[in-house]
Amino acid sequence: QVQLVESGGGLVQPGGSLRLSCAASGSIYRIYTWGWHRQVPGNQRELVAKITSDIRTTYADSVKGRFTISRDNSNNTVYLQMNSLKPEDTAVYYCNVGRATAWGKHEYWGQGTQVTVSS
């Protein structure tokens, strides 16, 4: 089992920056993907960014050029650097990992961290 703890959310003005962190513990081997999703009440959870075990990255069109996902294997942490934040970025951001074992694929989710972009 993998446990994920997010941090770094908060209130920021439009144009500002935040850096989200997600620290993993437990069975952290054989993780093939790390990702960040976000969700606004009443809407579906959407992919923001992900990074694979071979360090390939994927971003939602709405955040390309503004957000950067990265990994630090030394402390089992994934980061989401968010720059030029917009009000529409306001959401709960969730960290997730995908893990593959001989028994199949498994996904794990953090509890989320609130990001609010407002003047």
Side-chain angles (χ1 to χ4, degrees), residues 2 5-6 9 16 22 24 36 45 53 67 80 98 101 117:
V2 176
V5 179
E6 300 110 328
C22 175
W36 289 95
R45 188 174 298 182
S53 59
F67 291 9
L80 185 67
T101 71
V117 184

Side-chain angles (χ1 to χ4, degrees), residues 2-118:
V2 176
Q3 295 81 43
L4 303 173
V5 179
E6 300 110 328
S7 62
L11 175 65
V12 65
Q13 292 184 331
S17 298
L18 286 174
R19 190 191 191 197
L20 305 183
S21 299
C22 175
S25 62
S27 300
I28 57 177
Y29 57 92
R30 292 188 176 182
I31 293 175
Y32 64 89
T33 184
W34 296 73
W36 289 95
H37 291 68
R38 66 187 181 188
Q39 187 171 23
V40 178
N43 295 104
Q44 293 185 350
R45 188 174 298 182
E46 64 175 351
L47 173 70
V48 176
K50 67 178 180 181
I51 184 168
T52 60
S53 59
D54 57 351
I55 320 300
R56 292 183 297 166
T57 57
T58 302
Y59 298 94
D61 288 341
S62 60
V63 306
K64 286 182 178 178
R66 300 188 297 119
F67 291 9
T68 303
I69 188 171
S70 60
R71 285 169 49 191
D72 186 350
N73 287 341
S74 66
N75 59 4
N76 303 308
T77 301
V78 65
Y79 303 94
L80 185 67
Q81 178 67 46
M82 304 185 294
N83 298 326
S84 302
L85 283 162
K86 304 175 181 179
E88 52 263 42
D89 295 319
T90 297
V92 177
Y93 284 71
Y94 297 90
C95 176
N96 79 287
V97 301
R99 179 170 175 260
T101 71
W103 313 110
K105 296 181 179 180
H106 307 274
E107 288 193 353
Y108 302 89
W109 295 85
Q111 293 185 347
T113 184
Q114 177 71 47
V115 172
T116 302
V117 184
S118 179

